[in-house]
Amino acid sequence: MTAYRRIVIEHFRRPRNRGALPGANRSADGANPLCGDRIRVQLLVSDGVIVDARFTADACALCIASASLLTEHVRGLTSDDITVLDAAWISASLEGEPPPGRQKCALLPLDTLRRALA
Amino acid sequence: MSDLVLEALANSAEDLVVQATLVSATGSSSKKIGAKMLVGASGKLLGGVTIGGCIDAQVIEAGDALIAEGGRRLLDISLDDDEAWEIGLTCGGNIEVLMERVSPTDRADPTLTAHAAVRDALEADRAVVVVTSLDGPRRSLAIDENGTRTGTLGDVASDDAVLAVATDVLSSASRSEMVTTPSGERRFFFERYAPPTTVVIVGAGQIAMSLTRFARELDMRTIVIDGRERYATRERFPDADEIRIGMPSEIVASIQTGKRVAVVLVSHDYKYELPVLRALLRSPLGYLGMLGSKKRGVAVRDLLREEGFTDDELSRIRTPIGLDLGGKSSPEVALSILAELVAVRSGKRA
Protein backbone atom coordinates (compact mmCIF):
# COMPACT_ATOMS: atom_id res chain seq x y z
CA MET A 1 0.00 0.00 0.00
CA THR A 2 1.34 3.43 -0.90
CA ALA A 3 1.82 6.10 1.75
CA TYR A 4 -0.93 8.13 0.07
CA ARG A 5 -3.49 5.33 0.37
CA ARG A 6 -2.42 4.52 3.91
CA ILE A 7 -2.87 8.16 4.99
CA VAL A 8 -6.24 8.53 3.28
CA ILE A 9 -7.58 5.35 4.82
CA GLU A 10 -6.15 6.13 8.25
CA HIS A 11 -7.74 9.60 8.34
CA PHE A 12 -11.01 8.31 6.89
CA ARG A 13 -11.33 5.60 9.52
CA ARG A 14 -10.11 7.76 12.36
CA PRO A 15 -10.76 11.34 11.32
CA ARG A 16 -9.33 14.03 13.57
CA ASN A 17 -11.63 16.88 14.59
CA ARG A 18 -14.80 15.40 13.18
CA GLY A 19 -17.98 16.74 14.74
CA ALA A 20 -19.57 20.05 15.65
CA LEU A 21 -17.51 22.75 17.35
CA PRO A 22 -19.40 24.26 20.28
CA GLY A 23 -18.80 28.00 20.51
CA ALA A 24 -17.59 28.29 16.92
CA ASN A 25 -17.64 31.86 15.64
CA ARG A 26 -16.95 31.08 11.99
CA SER A 27 -18.67 28.48 9.85
CA ALA A 28 -19.18 27.64 6.21
CA ASP A 29 -20.80 24.83 4.25
CA GLY A 30 -19.31 23.45 1.09
CA ALA A 31 -20.47 20.99 -1.54
CA ASN A 32 -19.27 19.31 -4.67
CA PRO A 33 -22.51 19.48 -6.63
CA LEU A 34 -21.93 16.52 -8.91
CA CYS A 35 -20.32 13.94 -6.66
CA GLY A 36 -22.39 14.99 -3.64
CA ASP A 37 -19.65 15.61 -1.06
CA ARG A 38 -21.00 17.89 1.67
CA ILE A 39 -18.91 19.47 4.41
CA ARG A 40 -19.22 22.07 7.16
CA VAL A 41 -16.10 23.64 8.60
CA GLN A 42 -16.41 25.44 11.93
CA LEU A 43 -13.75 27.59 13.49
CA LEU A 44 -13.10 29.37 16.73
CA VAL A 45 -11.09 32.45 15.85
CA SER A 46 -9.65 34.76 18.47
CA ASP A 47 -7.60 37.89 17.71
CA GLY A 48 -7.19 36.70 14.14
CA VAL A 49 -5.83 33.32 15.17
CA ILE A 50 -7.60 30.00 14.59
CA VAL A 51 -7.90 28.57 18.09
CA ASP A 52 -9.91 25.48 17.12
CA ALA A 53 -11.22 23.88 13.93
CA ARG A 54 -13.64 21.03 13.39
CA PHE A 55 -15.65 19.63 10.50
CA THR A 56 -18.79 17.64 9.79
CA ALA A 57 -19.07 15.84 6.48
CA ASP A 58 -21.01 13.37 4.42
CA ALA A 59 -18.19 12.89 2.01
CA CYS A 60 -15.78 10.47 0.39
CA ALA A 61 -12.64 9.14 2.07
CA LEU A 62 -10.37 11.60 0.26
CA CYS A 63 -12.44 14.62 1.27
CA ILE A 64 -12.62 13.46 4.89
CA ALA A 65 -8.89 12.73 5.03
CA SER A 66 -8.15 16.13 3.59
CA ALA A 67 -10.47 17.80 6.16
CA SER A 68 -8.87 15.81 8.95
CA LEU A 69 -5.35 16.86 7.97
CA LEU A 70 -6.37 20.45 7.36
CA THR A 71 -8.12 20.93 10.71
CA GLU A 72 -5.10 19.48 12.47
CA HIS A 73 -2.80 21.87 10.66
CA VAL A 74 -4.63 25.18 10.96
CA ARG A 75 -4.76 25.55 14.72
CA GLY A 76 -2.65 28.55 15.64
CA LEU A 77 -2.61 29.92 12.10
CA THR A 78 -3.95 33.27 10.89
CA SER A 79 -5.95 34.07 7.75
CA ASP A 80 -2.75 35.14 6.09
CA ASP A 81 -1.17 31.79 6.88
CA ILE A 82 -4.11 30.07 5.22
CA THR A 83 -3.63 31.93 1.93
CA VAL A 84 -0.47 29.98 1.23
CA LEU A 85 -2.21 26.62 1.54
CA ASP A 86 -3.07 25.12 -1.84
CA ALA A 87 -3.41 21.89 -3.79
CA ALA A 88 0.33 21.28 -3.51
CA TRP A 89 0.13 21.52 0.29
CA ILE A 90 -2.72 19.00 0.33
CA SER A 91 -0.77 16.60 -1.88
CA ALA A 92 2.26 16.98 0.36
CA SER A 93 0.14 16.26 3.45
CA LEU A 94 -1.37 13.20 1.77
CA GLU A 95 2.09 12.16 0.56
CA GLY A 96 0.72 11.73 -2.90
CA GLU A 97 -1.26 13.30 -5.67
CA PRO A 98 -5.04 12.69 -5.63
CA PRO A 99 -6.07 10.88 -8.81
CA PRO A 100 -7.23 12.92 -11.79
CA GLY A 101 -10.82 13.95 -11.33
CA ARG A 102 -10.63 13.79 -7.53
CA GLN A 103 -8.89 17.13 -6.97
CA LYS A 104 -12.21 18.73 -6.06
CA CYS A 105 -12.76 16.16 -3.32
CA ALA A 106 -9.38 16.95 -1.79
CA LEU A 107 -9.77 20.74 -2.14
CA LEU A 108 -13.34 21.08 -0.82
CA PRO A 109 -12.32 21.35 2.87
CA LEU A 110 -9.74 24.07 2.14
CA ASP A 111 -12.16 26.02 -0.05
CA THR A 112 -14.80 25.79 2.67
CA LEU A 113 -12.40 26.82 5.41
CA ARG A 114 -11.40 29.86 3.37
CA ARG A 115 -15.04 30.84 3.01
CA ALA A 116 -15.51 30.45 6.75
CA LEU A 117 -12.69 32.94 7.28
CA ALA A 118 -13.85 35.40 4.61
CA MET B 1 -59.51 5.34 0.36
CA SER B 2 -61.18 4.47 3.65
CA ASP B 3 -59.79 7.66 5.14
CA LEU B 4 -61.34 9.66 2.32
CA VAL B 5 -64.65 7.91 2.91
CA LEU B 6 -64.50 8.87 6.60
CA GLU B 7 -63.99 12.50 5.64
CA ALA B 8 -66.81 12.33 3.11
CA LEU B 9 -69.15 10.83 5.66
CA ALA B 10 -68.28 13.43 8.27
CA ASN B 11 -68.86 16.25 5.81
CA SER B 12 -71.80 14.75 3.98
CA ALA B 13 -74.74 16.97 3.18
CA GLU B 14 -76.93 13.89 2.80
CA ASP B 15 -79.63 13.21 5.38
CA LEU B 16 -78.95 9.49 5.25
CA VAL B 17 -75.98 7.52 4.00
CA VAL B 18 -75.29 3.81 3.91
CA GLN B 19 -71.74 2.85 4.68
CA ALA B 20 -70.74 -0.46 3.09
CA THR B 21 -67.56 -2.09 4.42
CA LEU B 22 -65.83 -5.19 3.09
CA VAL B 23 -65.38 -7.20 6.30
CA SER B 24 -64.29 -10.58 5.02
CA ALA B 25 -63.33 -12.36 1.84
CA THR B 26 -62.60 -15.95 0.90
CA GLY B 27 -60.99 -16.85 -2.38
CA SER B 28 -59.63 -13.80 -4.08
CA SER B 29 -60.86 -10.35 -3.32
CA SER B 30 -60.04 -7.43 -5.52
CA LYS B 31 -60.11 -4.99 -2.62
CA LYS B 32 -58.45 -4.80 0.73
CA ILE B 33 -60.46 -5.81 3.80
CA GLY B 34 -61.94 -2.58 5.14
CA ALA B 35 -62.66 -1.13 1.68
CA LYS B 36 -65.67 1.15 1.86
CA MET B 37 -68.42 2.50 -0.29
CA LEU B 38 -70.89 5.21 0.60
CA VAL B 39 -74.35 5.14 -0.91
CA GLY B 40 -76.16 8.41 -0.37
CA ALA B 41 -79.90 8.99 -0.17
CA SER B 42 -79.53 11.28 -3.18
CA GLY B 43 -78.04 8.44 -5.21
CA LYS B 44 -74.44 9.63 -4.89
CA LEU B 45 -71.72 6.99 -4.61
CA LEU B 46 -68.19 7.13 -3.25
CA GLY B 47 -65.59 4.39 -3.07
CA GLY B 48 -66.14 0.72 -3.73
CA VAL B 49 -65.95 -2.63 -1.96
CA THR B 50 -64.96 -4.63 -5.03
CA ILE B 51 -63.32 -3.77 -8.29
CA GLY B 52 -66.73 -2.98 -9.73
CA GLY B 53 -69.27 -4.67 -11.96
CA CYS B 54 -72.13 -6.80 -10.71
CA ILE B 55 -70.92 -7.12 -7.13
CA ASP B 56 -70.81 -3.39 -6.45
CA ALA B 57 -74.20 -3.20 -8.15
CA GLN B 58 -75.60 -5.61 -5.54
CA VAL B 59 -74.12 -3.47 -2.78
CA ILE B 60 -75.66 -0.33 -4.24
CA GLU B 61 -79.07 -2.00 -4.51
CA ALA B 62 -78.83 -3.15 -0.89
CA GLY B 63 -77.77 0.36 0.08
CA ASP B 64 -80.74 1.94 -1.61
CA ALA B 65 -83.03 -0.48 0.22
CA LEU B 66 -81.38 0.23 3.55
CA ILE B 67 -81.78 3.98 3.08
CA ALA B 68 -85.51 3.41 2.93
CA GLU B 69 -85.83 0.69 5.54
CA GLY B 70 -83.13 1.61 8.04
CA GLY B 71 -81.02 -0.68 10.22
CA ARG B 72 -78.14 -2.69 8.91
CA ARG B 73 -77.34 -5.88 7.03
CA LEU B 74 -74.44 -8.20 6.54
CA LEU B 75 -74.41 -9.10 2.86
CA ASP B 76 -72.92 -12.45 1.94
CA ILE B 77 -72.09 -12.32 -1.73
CA SER B 78 -70.78 -15.13 -3.89
CA LEU B 79 -68.20 -14.12 -6.44
CA ASP B 80 -68.98 -17.18 -8.53
CA ASP B 81 -70.59 -16.44 -11.82
CA ASP B 82 -71.57 -19.41 -13.97
CA GLU B 83 -71.02 -17.75 -17.33
CA ALA B 84 -67.76 -16.17 -16.25
CA TRP B 85 -66.66 -19.51 -14.83
CA GLU B 86 -67.19 -21.17 -18.20
CA ILE B 87 -64.81 -18.80 -19.91
CA GLY B 88 -62.32 -18.76 -17.06
CA LEU B 89 -62.92 -15.16 -16.00
CA THR B 90 -63.80 -15.60 -12.37
CA CYS B 91 -61.70 -16.43 -9.37
CA GLY B 92 -64.55 -17.58 -7.14
CA GLY B 93 -65.02 -17.07 -3.43
CA ASN B 94 -67.29 -15.12 -1.13
CA ILE B 95 -67.25 -11.69 0.37
CA GLU B 96 -69.13 -10.23 3.28
CA VAL B 97 -70.14 -6.59 3.23
CA LEU B 98 -71.44 -4.83 6.33
CA MET B 99 -74.09 -2.29 5.40
CA GLU B 100 -74.96 0.34 8.00
CA ARG B 101 -77.32 3.27 7.66
CA VAL B 102 -75.82 6.38 9.15
CA SER B 103 -77.30 9.78 9.73
CA PRO B 104 -74.41 12.23 9.18
CA THR B 105 -76.07 14.86 11.33
CA ASP B 106 -76.50 12.55 14.32
CA ARG B 107 -73.26 13.02 16.26
CA ALA B 108 -74.28 10.28 18.70
CA ASP B 109 -74.29 7.72 15.90
CA PRO B 110 -71.82 4.94 16.87
CA THR B 111 -70.21 4.92 13.43
CA LEU B 112 -69.64 8.67 13.47
CA THR B 113 -68.37 8.57 17.04
CA ALA B 114 -65.82 5.92 16.06
CA HIS B 115 -64.84 7.89 12.95
CA ALA B 116 -64.21 10.99 15.05
CA ALA B 117 -61.89 8.94 17.27
CA VAL B 118 -60.10 7.69 14.16
CA ARG B 119 -59.58 11.21 12.85
CA ASP B 120 -58.24 12.37 16.22
CA ALA B 121 -55.79 9.46 16.39
CA LEU B 122 -54.55 9.88 12.83
CA GLU B 123 -54.04 13.61 13.31
CA ALA B 124 -51.90 12.79 16.35
CA ASP B 125 -49.94 10.21 14.30
CA ARG B 126 -51.38 7.24 16.20
CA ALA B 127 -52.98 4.03 14.98
CA VAL B 128 -56.45 3.00 16.07
CA VAL B 129 -58.70 -0.04 15.70
CA VAL B 130 -62.45 0.27 15.31
CA VAL B 131 -64.29 -2.81 16.53
CA THR B 132 -67.80 -3.21 15.11
CA SER B 133 -70.23 -5.95 16.08
CA LEU B 134 -71.33 -8.02 13.12
CA ASP B 135 -74.23 -9.54 15.04
CA GLY B 136 -76.61 -7.95 17.54
CA PRO B 137 -77.21 -4.22 17.84
CA ARG B 138 -75.13 -1.72 15.83
CA ARG B 139 -72.27 -0.75 18.09
CA SER B 140 -68.68 0.34 17.63
CA LEU B 141 -65.72 0.76 19.88
CA ALA B 142 -62.57 2.64 18.87
CA ILE B 143 -59.38 1.56 20.64
CA ASP B 144 -56.50 3.99 20.23
CA GLU B 145 -52.93 2.70 20.45
CA ASN B 146 -52.49 5.03 23.42
CA GLY B 147 -55.17 2.98 25.23
CA THR B 148 -58.05 5.45 24.89
CA ARG B 149 -61.42 3.85 24.20
CA THR B 150 -64.30 5.64 22.49
CA GLY B 151 -67.79 4.11 22.27
CA THR B 152 -68.78 0.68 23.51
CA LEU B 153 -69.85 -2.73 22.31
CA GLY B 154 -72.58 -2.78 24.92
CA ASP B 155 -70.80 -3.26 28.22
CA VAL B 156 -67.32 -3.05 29.71
CA ALA B 157 -66.92 -6.84 29.78
CA SER B 158 -67.48 -7.05 26.00
CA ASP B 159 -65.12 -4.12 25.45
CA ASP B 160 -62.46 -5.91 27.51
CA ALA B 161 -63.04 -9.18 25.63
CA VAL B 162 -62.01 -7.71 22.26
CA LEU B 163 -58.89 -6.02 23.56
CA ALA B 164 -56.44 -8.85 22.79
CA VAL B 165 -57.52 -9.17 19.15
CA ALA B 166 -57.64 -5.40 18.74
CA THR B 167 -54.09 -5.11 20.04
CA ASP B 168 -52.95 -7.70 17.51
CA VAL B 169 -54.77 -5.92 14.68
CA LEU B 170 -53.06 -2.64 15.62
CA SER B 171 -49.80 -4.11 14.35
CA SER B 172 -51.18 -6.25 11.52
CA ALA B 173 -54.25 -5.82 9.32
CA SER B 174 -58.03 -5.50 9.52
CA ARG B 175 -59.97 -8.75 9.93
CA SER B 176 -63.20 -10.28 11.21
CA GLU B 177 -63.01 -12.64 14.16
CA MET B 178 -65.15 -14.53 16.65
CA VAL B 179 -64.56 -13.49 20.26
CA THR B 180 -65.85 -15.08 23.45
CA THR B 181 -67.73 -12.46 25.44
CA PRO B 182 -69.80 -12.75 28.63
CA SER B 183 -72.89 -12.94 26.40
CA GLY B 184 -71.43 -15.78 24.34
CA GLU B 185 -69.52 -16.14 21.08
CA ARG B 186 -69.82 -13.00 19.03
CA ARG B 187 -68.39 -11.92 15.74
CA PHE B 188 -66.67 -8.56 15.30
CA PHE B 189 -64.96 -6.65 12.55
CA PHE B 190 -61.62 -5.20 13.62
CA GLU B 191 -60.66 -2.34 11.36
CA ARG B 192 -57.21 -0.86 11.55
CA TYR B 193 -56.43 2.75 10.71
CA ALA B 194 -52.86 3.94 10.84
CA PRO B 195 -50.99 7.05 9.71
CA PRO B 196 -49.20 6.43 6.43
CA THR B 197 -45.74 4.93 6.35
CA THR B 198 -43.13 7.53 5.53
CA VAL B 199 -40.36 6.28 3.28
CA VAL B 200 -37.17 8.28 3.65
CA ILE B 201 -35.12 7.74 0.52
CA VAL B 202 -31.44 8.65 0.66
CA GLY B 203 -29.96 9.03 -2.81
CA ALA B 204 -31.88 10.65 -5.66
CA GLY B 205 -31.02 8.22 -8.46
CA GLN B 206 -33.11 6.07 -10.79
CA ILE B 207 -34.23 3.61 -8.13
CA ALA B 208 -35.41 6.50 -5.96
CA MET B 209 -37.48 7.83 -8.87
CA SER B 210 -39.27 4.50 -9.18
CA LEU B 211 -39.67 4.25 -5.41
CA THR B 212 -41.54 7.55 -5.21
CA ARG B 213 -43.87 6.55 -8.05
CA PHE B 214 -44.73 3.16 -6.58
CA ALA B 215 -44.94 4.42 -3.00
CA ARG B 216 -47.62 6.90 -3.97
CA GLU B 217 -49.75 4.02 -5.24
CA LEU B 218 -49.25 2.34 -1.88
CA ASP B 219 -50.39 5.44 0.06
CA MET B 220 -46.91 5.94 1.49
CA ARG B 221 -45.33 9.36 1.99
CA THR B 222 -41.88 9.85 0.53
CA ILE B 223 -39.02 12.14 1.44
CA VAL B 224 -36.14 12.19 -1.03
CA ILE B 225 -32.77 13.30 0.32
CA ASP B 226 -29.55 14.03 -1.50
CA GLY B 227 -26.62 16.40 -1.34
CA ARG B 228 -26.77 17.00 -5.07
CA GLU B 229 -29.12 19.71 -6.26
CA ARG B 230 -29.11 18.53 -9.83
CA TYR B 231 -30.36 15.11 -8.82
CA ALA B 232 -32.95 15.92 -6.18
CA THR B 233 -35.26 18.02 -8.33
CA ARG B 234 -39.03 18.27 -8.52
CA GLU B 235 -38.79 17.50 -12.22
CA ARG B 236 -37.21 14.12 -11.47
CA PHE B 237 -39.44 13.46 -8.46
CA PRO B 238 -42.93 14.74 -9.25
CA ASP B 239 -44.48 12.18 -6.86
CA ALA B 240 -42.26 12.85 -3.84
CA ASP B 241 -43.97 14.47 -0.88
CA GLU B 242 -40.76 16.23 0.11
CA ILE B 243 -37.39 16.78 -1.51
CA ARG B 244 -34.58 17.84 0.78
CA ILE B 245 -31.10 18.84 -0.25
CA GLY B 246 -28.19 19.12 2.12
CA MET B 247 -26.03 16.93 4.29
CA PRO B 248 -28.05 13.68 4.34
CA SER B 249 -26.99 12.65 7.86
CA GLU B 250 -28.19 15.98 9.25
CA ILE B 251 -31.46 15.80 7.36
CA VAL B 252 -32.29 12.27 8.53
CA ALA B 253 -31.39 13.24 12.09
CA SER B 254 -33.99 16.01 11.90
CA ILE B 255 -36.79 13.64 10.87
CA GLN B 256 -39.06 12.29 13.58
CA THR B 257 -38.36 8.56 13.57
CA GLY B 258 -40.69 5.78 14.69
CA LYS B 259 -42.14 2.46 13.66
CA ARG B 260 -43.99 4.02 10.73
CA VAL B 261 -40.84 5.47 9.25
CA ALA B 262 -38.83 3.42 6.76
CA VAL B 263 -35.38 4.48 5.63
CA VAL B 264 -34.09 3.24 2.31
CA LEU B 265 -30.49 3.93 1.38
CA VAL B 266 -30.16 3.78 -2.38
CA SER B 267 -27.26 6.17 -2.89
CA HIS B 268 -24.93 3.19 -3.21
CA ASP B 269 -22.20 5.48 -1.94
CA TYR B 270 -20.51 5.10 1.42
CA LYS B 271 -20.16 8.85 1.72
CA TYR B 272 -23.88 8.97 2.53
CA GLU B 273 -24.44 5.45 3.84
CA LEU B 274 -22.01 5.59 6.75
CA PRO B 275 -23.03 8.99 8.13
CA VAL B 276 -26.73 8.25 7.69
CA LEU B 277 -26.40 4.88 9.42
CA ARG B 278 -24.45 6.48 12.25
CA ALA B 279 -27.29 8.95 12.65
CA LEU B 280 -30.06 6.35 12.58
CA LEU B 281 -28.87 3.02 13.93
CA ARG B 282 -29.96 3.86 17.45
CA SER B 283 -33.29 5.38 16.44
CA PRO B 284 -36.62 3.56 16.30
CA LEU B 285 -37.52 2.72 12.71
CA GLY B 286 -39.96 0.35 11.04
CA TYR B 287 -37.46 -0.56 8.35
CA LEU B 288 -33.86 0.24 7.49
CA GLY B 289 -32.47 -1.06 4.23
CA MET B 290 -29.35 -0.37 2.20
CA LEU B 291 -28.73 -1.10 -1.44
CA GLY B 292 -25.68 -3.26 -1.99
CA SER B 293 -24.31 -6.76 -2.10
CA LYS B 294 -23.94 -9.00 0.91
CA LYS B 295 -20.18 -8.41 0.79
CA ARG B 296 -20.65 -4.66 0.80
CA GLY B 297 -23.08 -4.98 3.68
CA VAL B 298 -20.46 -6.88 5.69
CA ALA B 299 -17.85 -4.19 4.96
CA VAL B 300 -20.18 -1.38 6.07
CA ARG B 301 -21.12 -3.26 9.23
CA ASP B 302 -17.44 -3.92 10.00
CA LEU B 303 -16.62 -0.22 9.74
CA LEU B 304 -19.51 0.72 12.01
CA ARG B 305 -18.68 -2.06 14.46
CA GLU B 306 -15.20 -0.51 14.83
CA GLU B 307 -16.93 2.70 15.85
CA GLY B 308 -18.77 0.98 18.67
CA PHE B 309 -22.08 -0.10 17.16
CA THR B 310 -23.26 -3.44 18.50
CA ASP B 311 -24.18 -6.50 16.46
CA ASP B 312 -27.81 -6.02 17.48
CA GLU B 313 -27.81 -2.50 16.14
CA LEU B 314 -26.02 -3.52 12.95
CA SER B 315 -28.41 -6.40 12.35
CA ARG B 316 -31.16 -3.84 11.72
CA ILE B 317 -29.63 -2.96 8.36
CA ARG B 318 -31.31 -4.98 5.62
CA THR B 319 -28.78 -5.59 2.93
CA PRO B 320 -29.07 -6.84 0.27
CA ILE B 321 -32.23 -4.79 0.32
CA GLY B 322 -35.62 -6.01 -0.89
CA LEU B 323 -37.26 -9.32 -1.59
CA ASP B 324 -35.44 -11.42 -4.15
CA LEU B 325 -37.77 -11.09 -7.12
CA GLY B 326 -35.02 -11.65 -9.66
CA GLY B 327 -35.34 -8.21 -11.26
CA LYS B 328 -32.34 -6.03 -12.06
CA SER B 329 -33.75 -2.82 -13.56
CA SER B 330 -34.32 0.24 -11.38
CA PRO B 331 -38.13 -0.15 -11.29
CA GLU B 332 -37.74 -3.85 -10.50
CA VAL B 333 -35.35 -3.13 -7.63
CA ALA B 334 -37.71 -0.44 -6.34
CA LEU B 335 -40.57 -2.93 -6.48
CA SER B 336 -38.58 -5.50 -4.51
CA ILE B 337 -37.74 -2.89 -1.86
CA LEU B 338 -41.34 -1.82 -1.41
CA ALA B 339 -42.46 -5.46 -1.44
CA GLU B 340 -40.12 -6.14 1.48
CA LEU B 341 -41.28 -3.02 3.26
CA VAL B 342 -44.91 -4.11 2.93
CA ALA B 343 -44.00 -7.62 4.12
CA VAL B 344 -42.23 -6.21 7.18
CA ARG B 345 -45.03 -3.78 7.93
CA SER B 346 -47.67 -6.48 7.79
CA GLY B 347 -45.61 -8.87 9.91
CA LYS B 348 -44.99 -11.37 7.11
CA ARG B 349 -41.25 -10.87 7.33
CA ALA B 350 -39.26 -10.23 10.46
Side-chain angles (χ1 to χ4, degrees), chain A residues 42-54:
Chain A
Q42 293 179 292
L43 305 172
L44 177 61
V45 178
S46 179
D47 295 331
V49 177
I50 298 171
V51 177
D52 203 354
R54 294 184 71 81

Side-chain angles (χ1 to χ4, degrees), chain B residues 273-300:
Chain B
E273 292 160 348
L274 290 169
V276 166
L277 289 170
R278 280 185 201 113
L280 289 178
L281 270 174
R282 291 174 177 143
S283 301
L285 289 171
Y287 179 96
L288 176 59
M290 184 182 77
L291 187 70
S293 64
K294 202 169 180 177
K295 185 178 166 190
R296 199 156 175 281
V298 168
V300 165

Side-chain angles (χ1 to χ4, degrees), chain A:
Chain A
M1 188 184 287
T2 62
Y4 167 84
R5 286 194 66 186
R6 184 178 47 76
I7 290 170
V8 169
I9 290 169
E10 160 62 18
H11 280 265
F12 171 65
R13 294 181 88 143
R14 278 171 284 278
R16 282 55 149 181
N17 310 310
R18 184 174 68 187
L21 177 59
N25 52 14
R26 305 290 175 88
S27 178
D29 286 6
N32 279 327
L34 292 183
C35 79
D37 285 332
R38 288 257 170 186
I39 189 167
R40 177 173 306 124
V41 175
Q42 293 179 292
L43 305 172
L44 177 61
V45 178
S46 179
D47 295 331
V49 177
I50 298 171
V51 177
D52 203 354
R54 294 184 71 81
F55 74 97
T56 314
D58 287 5
C60 66
L62 177 53
C63 183
I64 286 175
S66 173
S68 174
L69 288 161
L70 180 69
T71 49
E72 275 201 308
H73 180 74
V74 298
R75 284 200 184 92
L77 301 188
T78 64
S79 294
D80 285 347
D81 297 329
I82 300 299
T83 57
V84 301
L85 301 181
D86 56 10
W89 176 83
I90 291 169
S91 296
S93 301
L94 292 167
E95 295 188 26
E97 193 76 24
R102 301 288 306 283
Q103 289 286 344
K104 282 184 177 174
C105 304
L107 281 168
L108 181 64
L110 179 57
D111 290 343
T112 309
L113 184 140
R114 282 204 174 110
R115 285 196 294 105
L117 285 170

Side-chain angles (χ1 to χ4, degrees), chain A residues 13 35-36 38 40 58 61, chain B residues 227 249-250 270-272 275 306:
Chain A
R13 294 181 88 143
C35 79
R38 288 257 170 186
R40 177 173 306 124
D58 287 5
Chain B
S249 62
E250 290 190 343
Y270 68 87
K271 75 172 61 146
Y272 290 168
E306 278 181 24

Side-chain angles (χ1 to χ4, degrees), chain B residues 140-300:
Chain B
S140 289
L141 168 68
I143 303 173
D144 192 302
E145 71 176 341
N146 71 2
T148 306
R149 299 184 195 184
T150 307
T152 181
L153 298 170
D155 51 69
V156 174
S158 296
D159 295 349
D160 288 344
V162 300
L163 200 55
V165 178
T167 303
D168 182 58
V169 168
L170 269 173
S171 58
S172 53
S174 302
R175 66 175 188 258
S176 298
E177 190 158 321
M178 297 294 292
V179 174
T180 304
T181 71
S183 54
E185 290 282 301
R186 290 183 58 195
R187 190 157 174 254
F188 298 96
F189 179 51
F190 295 81
E191 188 171 15
R192 175 180 181 268
Y193 292 88
T197 296
T198 297
V199 188
V200 178
I201 303 166
V202 180
Q206 293 289 319
I207 293 171
M209 289 165 71
S210 296
L211 280 169
T212 55
R213 279 199 299 273
F214 298 165
R216 175 163 285 261
E217 287 294 312
L218 294 166
D219 289 332
M220 296 175 180
R221 290 186 70 248
T222 50
I223 303 173
V224 176
I225 298 171
D226 205 301
R228 301 165 298 178
E229 293 175 6
R230 285 175 68 179
Y231 280 75
T233 64
R234 181 52 71 186
E235 191 178 21
R236 283 165 57 84
F237 292 95
D239 292 315
D241 291 283
E242 282 183 56
I243 299 171
R244 297 178 64 176
I245 300 161
M247 206 177 292
S249 62
E250 290 190 343
I251 296 171
V252 296
S254 72
I255 292 171
Q256 178 77 44
T257 55
K259 62 188 174 189
R260 281 185 282 276
V261 175
V263 176
V264 176
L265 288 149
V266 288
S267 60
H268 206 254
D269 191 335
Y270 68 87
K271 75 172 61 146
Y272 290 168
E273 292 160 348
L274 290 169
V276 166
L277 289 170
R278 280 185 201 113
L280 289 178
L281 270 174
R282 291 174 177 143
S283 301
L285 289 171
Y287 179 96
L288 176 59
M290 184 182 77
L291 187 70
S293 64
K294 202 169 180 177
K295 185 178 166 190
R296 199 156 175 281
V298 168
V300 165

